[in-house]
Amino acid sequence: FAMIMATPCFSKLPHEPAGSQLMQFVSSGGIDKERLAIEAIGYLGTPDWSFELINKVKNNDGYDWEKLSPYLFATFFRIAVKATSQDAFSNAFYYIKTFYKRAESEKFRRLWTKQWYRMEIIFSNFKPVAADIIMSDWLKHEDSFFRELGLKALGWMRLNRAVKVIKKIALSGKETEGIIRQCADSLSIIDSVDSANALKAIYDVTEKASELYSHIALHMAMALGRLSNRGIIEQIYPI
């Protein structure tokens, strides 16, 4: 709760002197102070401080990457929210991948799992320009962790033009059950006739009597339930 409340507080701070003070904390030599300063810079959300942050961490051999990279990873997600061009978003994503590689471990994944509740807010604030990078890069990443992030982002961005891409992934026959579940989750959030049709297509090819089948059925029902036109509902799933 405290971290949720911190978001509007930090975003309203004047960039000076807050940014300068936070940058001093980043290289303070104390792990807790460094972590909090890194997170605060993300909430502050200004590109200028993000570039200075990169320079700081690049030139500091004393960093405990295992402990700090998950927070740097999350901070650059918040910085990506501010991106208004593909170049700016690609640059933020480059550092997101960099910090993930620095601390890729089960410990990282456990820590990041605890932060999922924040991601809905972050993803829903991505600019439309982020969608093309997500679909061309994130969803094709070799690591399923990034493909899942991409699917979550497209869902919470509520982009109907992403439906075809998500449907294709779910029906490819190459993905894990976890990715297919996330496809269903994202389609149900996008909440359109197209997404309901896509969920029906995935439902029709899913093995019956499986947990995945039940998961798809639930999300298809959720998507159909939000459509107001009964005629369209009956076209998708004849009664």
Side-chain angles (χ1 to χ4, degrees), residues 38 53 65 68-80 92-103 108 112 115-116 119 122-123 138 145-146 149:
I38 286 167
L53 176 60
W65 289 105
L68 289 177
S69 284
Y71 299 100
L72 287 159
F73 179 92
T75 285
F76 274 85
F77 263 109
R78 297 188 182 93
I79 289 166
F93 186 44
Y94 170 78
Y95 288 111
I96 287 169
K97 289 191 289 188
T98 297
F99 295 125
Y100 177 72
K101 288 179 180 178
R102 285 274 196 169
F108 173 92
W112 187 242
Q115 301 192 36
W116 273 128
M119 298 311 294
I122 294 174
F123 288 149
W138 296 30
F145 182 68
F146 275 98
L149 285 177

Side-chain angles (χ1 to χ4, degrees), residues 165-186:
V165 177
I166 298 173
K167 177 184 173 182
K168 184 177 180 180
I169 290 172
L171 297 177
S172 69
K174 301 176 182 178
E175 289 294 354
T176 64
E177 182 175 312
I179 292 293
I180 297 172
R181 283 173 176 267
Q182 185 55 57
C183 287
D185 293 353
S186 296

